[in-house]
């Protein structure tokens, strides 16, 4: 099963992708995570992406399309994948369609996590992850059971993203509305897009997504 999770920055795509990964044994492909790994590795692609990401703008389509196409060919994607943060523009959505056709793959679900912009600033500025295993947390909305200790791996070090500040969030929300939201209609016209209420609790959103997928 191959699916796309659509939604504004902070909507809960990463949080839900990790839960769907476990529930359906398919892999999360986050273009944001891939780009952050490129930045950390000091590659040419990372150097090009870094400033753009810090400004809250979108990295050029051709870089992203090439990166995701290579990633989908890897062995761990053969049972299915969850696209998180891709596609983000109409040209990316069109390229994905062509790519899947060439690779003889199907797109089974496009799921939009619908949220209110006003709530996204608090979600993003309070977000942090375990530095060891990448599990996601929030200062208020998703605290670990024991303060300062990761529920998943026991790690005690956490990190926050460079672009998770209020100013950048506003640019990222604008980029979402200007450049990404048109692809909801693109998939709507094809009859494959379903929306869930992303303002509900994390558990409830998972339930809605599983129902939409039919599992
Ligand atoms: P995205 O990947 O869409 O940018 P995340 O999944 O990283 O968003 O979620 C952003 C932050 O909001 C995280 O800290 C997460 O714990 C929190 N969060 C996610 N979903 C919800 C929700 N339904 N209610 C409250 N907080 C949430
Ligand atoms: P995310 O982790 O999805 O919030 O993405 C973080 C940043 O990475 C975005 O603000 C963009 O600068 C960049 N990025 C991630 N995915 C894409 C994409 N599909 N197209 C263009 N830029 C992207």
């Amino acid at each position: 099963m191959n699916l796309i999770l659509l939604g504004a920055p902070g909507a809960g795509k990463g949080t839900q992708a990790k839960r769907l990964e476990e529930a359906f044994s398919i892999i999360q492909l986050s273009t944001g995570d891939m780009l952050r790994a490129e930045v950390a590795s000091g590659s040419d692609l990372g150097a090009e992406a870094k400033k753009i990401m810090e400004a809250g703008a979108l990295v050029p389509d051709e870089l992203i399309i090439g990166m995701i196409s290579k990633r989908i060919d890897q062995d761990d994607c053969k049972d299915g994948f969850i696209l998180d943060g891709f596609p983000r523009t109409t040209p990316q959505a069109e390229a994905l369609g062509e790519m899947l056709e060439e690779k003889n793959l199907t797109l089974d679900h496009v799921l939009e996590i619908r949220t209110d912009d006003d709530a996204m600033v608090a979600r993003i500025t309070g977000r942090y992850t375990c530095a060891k295993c990448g599990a996601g947390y929030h200062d208020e909305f998703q605290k670990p059971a024991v303060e300062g200790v990761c529920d998943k791996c026991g790690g005690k070090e956490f990190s926050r993203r460079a672009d998770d500040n209020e100013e950048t969030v506003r640019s990222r929300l604008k980029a979402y509305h200007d450049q990404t939201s048109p692809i909801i209609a693109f998939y709507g016209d094809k009859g494959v897009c379903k929306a869930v209420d992303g303002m509900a609790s994390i558990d409830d959103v998972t339930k809605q997504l599983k129902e939409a997928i039919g599992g």
Side-chain angles (χ1 to χ4, degrees), residues 160-204:
R160 290 180 193 259
R161 282 169 45 176
D163 59 346
D164 277 353
N165 56 71
E166 188 163 347
E167 195 192 337
T168 310
V169 176
R170 303 246 175 244
S171 312
R172 285 155 64 196
L173 285 168
K174 187 171 180 332
Y176 179 73
H177 291 296
D178 292 350
Q179 292 169 272
T180 307
S181 65
I183 69 178
I184 296 168
F186 174 91
Y187 287 117
D189 291 344
K190 296 182 190 293
V192 287
C193 196
K194 287 187 187 155
V196 303
D197 174 17
M199 296 308 295
S201 70
I202 295 178
D203 285 348
D204 191 68

Side-chain angles (χ1 to χ4, degrees), residues 9-24:
K13 301 179 297 296
T15 305
Q16 298 299 335
K18 291 209 159 52
R19 289 173 167 220
L20 298 178
E21 241 188 346
E22 280 181 25
F24 296 99

Side-chain angles (χ1 to χ4, degrees), residues 31-87:
T31 43
D33 284 350
M34 289 178 210
L35 289 170
R36 282 183 285 280
E38 293 285 345
V39 172
S41 76
S43 69
D44 289 347
L45 170 56
E48 192 168 345
K50 189 170 186 278
K51 276 208 175 83
I52 299 172
M53 293 167 78
E54 281 171 358
L58 294 185
V59 172
D61 288 334
E62 58 276 16
L63 295 184
I64 298 286
I65 292 164
M67 187 176 78
I68 203 87
S69 176
K70 268 196 227 152
R71 183 66 188 85
I72 288 174
D73 289 339
Q74 288 176 16
D75 216 39
D76 57 354
C77 294
K78 69 179 189 313
D79 293 332
F81 47 80
I82 306 160
L83 294 172
D84 161 7
F86 176 89

Side-chain angles (χ1 to χ4, degrees), residues 6-17 28 30 84-85 88 113 115 119-120 122-129 136-143 161 164 172 197-205:
L6 284 176
K13 301 179 297 296
T15 305
Q16 298 299 335
Q28 173 195 19
S30 156
D84 161 7
R88 242 173 164 110
I113 306 179
T115 48
M120 296 306 99
R123 281 210 197 163
I124 285 194
T125 52
R127 164 164 70 187
Y128 62 96
T129 52
Y137 295 98
H138 191 280
D139 291 328
E140 258 181 87
F141 311 136
Q142 200 186 1
K143 297 180 180 178
R161 282 169 45 176
D164 277 353
R172 285 155 64 196
D197 174 17
M199 296 308 295
S201 70
I202 295 178
D203 285 348
D204 191 68
V205 178

